[in-house]
Amino acid sequence: MSVTAREIRLASRPDGWPTEENFAFADVELPSPSAGELLVRNTFMSVDPYMRGRMNDVKSYTPPYELGKALEGGAVGTVVESGVDGVAPGALVLHNAGWRSHALVSQYTPLTPVEGVSPSHFLGALGMPALTAYVGLLDIASFEPGETVFVSGAAGAVGSLAGQFARLKGAGRVVGSAGSAGKVAHLTGKLGFDAAFNYRDGAVADLLARAAPAGIDVYFDNVGGDHLEAAIGALNNDGRVAVCGSISMYNEKQPPPGPRNLHLLVGKRLRLRGFLVLDHYDRFGAMAAEVGQWLAGGKLVAEETFVDGLDNAPAAFLGMLRGENTGKMVVRL
Amino acid sequence: MSVTAREIRLASRPDGWPTEENFAFADVELPSPSAGELLVRNTFMSVDPYMRGRMNDVKSYTPPYELGKALEGGAVGTVVESGVDGVAPGALVLHNAGWRSHALVSQYTPLTPVEGVSPSHFLGALGMPALTAYVGLLDIASFEPGETVFVSGAAGAVGSLAGQFARLKGAGRVVGSAGSAGKVAHLTGKLGFDAAFNYRDGAVADLLARAAPAGIDVYFDNVGGDHLEAAIGALNNDGRVAVCGSISMYNEKQPPPGPRNLHLLVGKRLRLRGFLVLDHYDRFGAMAAEVGQWLAGGKLVAEETFVDGLDNAPAAFLGMLRGENTGKMVVRL
């Protein structure tokens, strides 16, 4: 059996903000899987901030996407035809050949469907974003119960989980920032943040000082830029920053100046630590066990924003970069 | 017995670079010591970069110097009259009532004179600067043998020790920066650095890339500013920064922009950690034992720049801020 797969390729590299022109569509014939391979029909695919970095021709922790080739990224799919003993058609797998309708994969993780939980959560609240939030908060920032935690990009996939994990782990106060009044209401309402602000409403340092009048102990940084400067100013002695991402920078042609207050690291004995989730998959089991319980017990809100159809994946990606999602942005195929 | 003590007071707070006008001299009568006190004649006093911060009226980890009152700082003195059982006149003590000819002190550390070692070293290679270098390198930056270490302000009191400690602890390569050709020659000559550069010779990032072509693993930061940005650019994966001070900032009226490349913390999993030596006196014994051996064995160069006379202490302090010292700047009374 062969199938015609539709795939999305990198047509050109963006200079600053990406556009639909940077993407191209193509149909390719996929043969039957060889031994060790699976032919998978994708049902959900992820669009994530880190993908913006891979569109640049810059050596980094993952190689850049290649011009003229299909993009990659997390996806959940159903096995159509199997070249692997013990994996039958119909099985659910997680793999990295997103941005296409079908794929031949040899590296994948078998998934066990969970009653009442959409398989799309394996791309979000039970997947990479959840592990990012979990490791960043607990291992990188060494969060302790009772502490005040500030999360930027708090309505996004990782941020909304980091803030809720802090609450569920006994934070004294959880503060979030987001880019619209609606998101702010969502944070303090449905997600149970103690305070939140719209960073477009003024200087971040002022807004943060009002939301956390006694300062903060941990900052989970998804944004960089003036958020990071404000957080350094607000951190109490022995404060910690988990530097997860800098979405405010990804589309800047010239990097803006950094925080002017790094000298505060000395007097306040602050720690800033960058991390990549790919180094921390040894913690996946612990995360999945704890988060699975919270989800099953209705204690964790795993919000998703769905965009339908592979042809709308570039729009979903661009919308995610502009902050149009609440929770995890997922393309439903 | 009473003595007339000469002391140096804060006459006014500097705005930007301090000047001689910020200091005033006064003579005061000191009575005999009460029970628990010592009357001490100071023989050496320290001028250190952190004192610049205490001249500002800003709440920090130590209170600001008070206008019209004597300054404070590390000093070595000889007991003139004792109100303490077991401490006899002639005994050597370390205390914090520098910036004066004599002082009444109730908090002090008895010192045991070491054959062939100037007591001034208790203000430098066997004192606070040494503990700063030791803790910063080993505990804060978690230095491991074989690693490449970059030290800024490397000809200064702390920097010259940090670089030599790295060499003595088995660094793969030790690189330093300083502000003159003479200091650079001193680093690669007498102090045994593998490479050094004059940061006035070009862009720090370029100079550092030439001095450490395979990148760096640890950065001991005494300077901040463009040195920190250059180091972040040069750090290898899992690199660490001990943020000890930011002497490039202390006299700036407006803090300059920070590093534009903090987003590199993520991809390279970098850690920046600020620290204050006053939190780490539990490590003093370990430091003194190891450094004492190096000094006795002639393996460590404990360079000092002496300025003679209490009246020249303000000039010594200002000269230290301008980088006129090599090694520890000490006022000899």
Side-chain angles (χ1 to χ4, degrees):
Chain A
M1 183 176 92
S2 81
V3 300
T4 303
R6 188 158 173 78
E7 67 181 30
I8 302 178
R9 297 175 175 173
L10 183 65
S12 57
R13 299 198 186 277
D15 180 29
W17 283 87
T19 66
E20 300 257 2
E21 274 80 68
N22 300 125
F23 302 87
F25 290 84
D27 292 327
V28 294
E29 288 300 305
L30 294 183
S32 285
S34 310
E37 283 185 333
L38 302 174
L39 177 64
V40 174
R41 180 175 59 78
N42 287 335
T43 51
F44 297 101
M45 63 161 270
S46 190
V47 288
D48 298 292
Y50 79 85
M51 294 170 174
R52 175 63 188 84
R54 294 192 68 185
M55 296 179 83
N56 295 336
D57 193 16
V58 174
K59 181 173 166 284
S60 183
Y61 54 93
T62 44
Y65 289 137
E66 286 182 62
L67 276 178
K69 295 217 172 157
L71 300 167
E72 296 174 349
V76 169
T78 305
V79 175
V80 175
E81 191 179 351
S82 175
V84 179
D85 286 347
V87 180
L92 208 61
V93 294
L94 176 71
H95 60 84
N96 206 41
W99 295 96
R100 58 202 101 182
S101 67
H102 299 74
L104 281 170
V105 299
S106 54
Q107 292 196 304
Y108 56 86
T109 305
L111 297 175
T112 307
V114 180
E115 178 84 27
V117 172
S118 164
S120 56
H121 284 316
F122 293 112
L123 301 174
L126 283 171
M128 181 272 281
L131 185 61
T132 305
Y134 193 84
V135 164
L137 181 72
L138 301 181
D139 301 341
I140 305 298
S142 304
F143 163 79
E144 294 286 343
E147 291 187 324
T148 294
V149 177
F150 171 46
V151 181
S152 59
V158 171
S160 63
L161 296 172
Q164 291 184 87
F165 292 173
R167 171 173 57 74
L168 290 161
K169 285 285 201 180
R173 187 174 178 82
V174 181
V175 175
S177 72
S180 74
K183 287 182 179 178
V184 167
H186 176 69
L187 292 176
T188 54
K190 207 165 168 188
L191 301 194
F193 281 58
D194 297 289
F197 60 84
N198 179 350
Y199 65 82
R200 301 181 209 268
D201 281 350
V204 177
D206 297 339
L207 298 164
L208 178 56
R210 230 169 297 159
I216 63 176
D217 303 302
V218 164
Y219 172 46
F220 194 109
D221 188 17
N222 292 309
V223 170
D226 50 2
H227 271 82
L228 180 55
E229 182 171 288
I232 289 170
L235 277 162
N236 296 321
N237 285 354
D238 301 305
R240 286 137 278 137
V241 179
V243 186
C244 178
S246 314
I247 200 166
S248 71
M249 310 288 181
Y250 295 164
N251 298 302
E252 298 286 338
K253 298 187 191 187
Q254 289 295 327
R260 291 171 188 267
N261 57 357
L262 280 179
H263 60 279
L264 295 177
L265 264 63
V266 176
K268 298 203 282 188
R269 301 86 157 168
L270 305 182
R271 304 179 203 195
L272 270 67
R273 182 173 168 193
F275 72 106
L276 290 173
V277 66
L278 57 84
D279 295 332
H280 298 277
Y281 271 82
D282 59 317
R283 293 280 276 156
F284 198 92
M287 179 283 291
E290 196 158 12
V291 173
Q293 292 238 331
W294 288 330
L295 274 179
K299 293 179 178 168
L300 182 75
V301 177
E303 198 85 356
E304 295 170 300
T305 297
F306 289 108
V307 169
D308 283 301
L310 182 69
D311 288 3
N312 292 319
F317 175 68
L318 299 176
M320 180 275 303
L321 289 178
R322 286 190 299 265
E324 290 171 4
N325 53 306
T326 300
K328 181 75 186 95
M329 184 73 111
V330 176
V331 181
R332 189 161 45 193
L333 305 181
Chain B
M1 184 173 97
S2 80
V3 300
T4 303
R6 189 158 172 79
E7 66 181 31
I8 302 178
R9 297 175 175 173
L10 183 65
S12 57
R13 298 195 185 280
D15 180 29
W17 282 87
T19 67
E20 301 256 4
E21 274 79 67
N22 299 127
F23 301 88
F25 290 84
D27 292 327
V28 294
E29 288 300 306
L30 294 183
S32 285
S34 310
E37 282 184 336
L38 303 174
L39 177 63
V40 174
R41 182 176 58 77
N42 287 332
T43 49
F44 296 101
M45 63 160 271
S46 188
V47 289
D48 298 292
Y50 79 85
M51 294 171 175
R52 175 62 189 86
R54 294 192 69 185
M55 297 180 83
N56 295 335
D57 192 17
V58 174
K59 181 173 166 286
S60 183
Y61 54 94
T62 44
Y65 289 136
E66 287 183 59
L67 275 178
K69 296 218 172 157
L71 300 167
E72 295 173 351
V76 170
T78 305
V79 175
V80 175
E81 192 178 350
S82 175
V84 179
D85 287 345
V87 179
L92 207 62
V93 294
L94 176 72
H95 60 85
N96 205 43
W99 293 94
R100 59 201 101 182
S101 66
H102 300 74
L104 281 169
V105 301
S106 55
Q107 292 196 304
Y108 56 86
T109 305
L111 297 176
T112 305
V114 180
E115 177 83 28
V117 172
S118 165
S120 57
H121 284 318
F122 292 112
L123 301 173
L126 282 171
M128 181 272 281
L131 186 61
T132 305
Y134 193 84
V135 164
L137 181 72
L138 301 181
D139 300 342
I140 305 297
S142 303
F143 163 79
E144 294 286 344
E147 291 187 324
T148 294
V149 176
F150 170 45
V151 180
S152 58
V158 171
S160 63
L161 296 173
Q164 290 184 89
F165 293 173
R167 170 173 59 74
L168 289 161
K169 286 285 203 179
R173 186 174 179 82
V174 181
V175 176
S177 71
S180 74
K183 288 182 178 178
V184 167
H186 177 67
L187 293 176
T188 53
K190 207 164 165 190
L191 300 194
F193 281 58
D194 297 289
F197 60 84
N198 179 349
Y199 65 82
R200 301 180 209 267
D201 282 349
V204 178
D206 297 339
L207 297 164
L208 178 57
R210 230 169 297 158
I216 62 176
D217 303 303
V218 163
Y219 172 46
F220 194 107
D221 187 18
N222 292 308
V223 171
D226 50 1
H227 270 83
L228 181 54
E229 182 171 290
I232 290 171
L235 278 162
N236 296 321
N237 284 354
D238 300 306
R240 285 137 278 136
V241 180
V243 186
C244 178
S246 312
I247 201 166
S248 71
M249 309 290 181
Y250 294 165
N251 298 303
E252 298 286 340
K253 299 190 190 187
Q254 290 295 327
R260 291 170 188 268
N261 56 358
L262 281 178
H263 61 278
L264 294 178
L265 264 63
V266 176
K268 298 203 283 188
R269 301 88 156 167
L270 304 182
R271 304 179 202 194
L272 270 67
R273 183 173 168 193
F275 73 107
L276 290 173
V277 67
L278 57 85
D279 296 334
H280 299 277
Y281 272 82
D282 60 315
R283 293 279 276 156
F284 197 92
M287 179 282 290
E290 196 158 12
V291 173
Q293 292 239 330
W294 288 329
L295 275 178
K299 294 180 177 166
L300 182 73
V301 177
E303 197 85 356
E304 294 172 300
T305 298
F306 289 107
V307 169
D308 282 302
L310 182 68
D311 288 4
N312 293 318
F317 175 68
L318 300 176
M320 180 275 303
L321 289 179
R322 286 191 298 263
E324 291 170 4
N325 53 307
T326 300
K328 180 72 185 96
M329 182 73 110
V330 176
V331 181
R332 189 161 43 191
L333 305 183

